[in-house]
Amino acid sequence: TTLFRSPGAAWTTHEWGFALAMYGVYVLGGYTGLVVSLQVITLAIFAVVALGMLASVRPERRALIVPLLLVGFFAGERACVVLRAAIVSTLALAVLCVLLLRMQGLRRTRERVAIAALFVLWANVHASVLFGLAVAFAHALPALFVRERRWRELGWCALYAAVTLINPNGVDLWTFPYRLDRVQIGRAHV
């Protein structure tokens, strides 16, 4: 696999948790299990998005949610949706957004702990957990201007960042996109 690493350099895949889970699915259900898991993950994404929309859309407009999601779901079922770790990251982002939506203006420890657990899982599935951290930090920004909430929000954000380090790559997970970009750009000029 010299495409993704320099000779002699160690490389740990950032998608190891996803690969292990899909191996388990394959052992249990073969190719059919993989196909079904793609359908289940895709359906879960739309179900979580629907929950978020139901919570944030005015009641008189909720009747539009199901038809819009069905159009998106059937469009997503085309061959362009692939069983990759990135699709689980899409699900994780949807779950994160719903959890953040449920916390609006409240001290919701249960949701915050769920977010921390989500980040642990997400960090072992895909490096796009960095985008999730950016979303969580952006959500916390308004609270940083309120003296009573500032340190609590900073503490939770620090916890979210810290738990993403619970993965085989450690802090290398945070630099993975840049290292990969450097390898691909370096190879393009060879």
Side-chain angles (χ1 to χ4, degrees), residues 46-89:
F46 282 94
V48 171
V49 169
L51 286 173
M53 291 175 75
L54 284 171
S56 60
V57 173
R58 291 185 291 193
E60 64 271 12
R61 296 195 176 169
R62 287 185 181 157
L64 297 173
I65 293 173
V66 172
L68 288 173
L69 286 175
L70 283 174
V71 168
F73 179 73
F74 288 119
E77 286 303 297
R78 310 270 312 159
C80 62
V81 177
V82 179
L83 185 58
R84 300 181 47 224
I87 196 166
V88 177
S89 287

Side-chain angles (χ1 to χ4, degrees), residues 94-136:
V95 170
L96 174 64
C97 289
V98 169
L99 289 170
L100 291 172
L101 181 65
R102 289 184 57 163
M103 288 187 346
Q104 293 292 15
L106 300 173
R107 293 179 63 187
R108 297 270 183 128
T109 304
R110 185 177 63 217
E111 283 79 3
R112 291 179 186 278
V113 170
I115 290 171
L118 175 67
F119 277 126
V120 171
L121 293 172
W122 196 351
N124 288 284
V125 171
H126 200 265
S128 65
V129 68
L130 297 175
F131 183 70
L133 283 175
V135 169

Side-chain angles (χ1 to χ4, degrees), residues 176-186:
F176 175 80
Y178 308 106
R179 289 183 294 123
L180 182 60
D181 189 48
R182 188 173 17 144
V183 168
Q184 289 178 336
I185 289 173

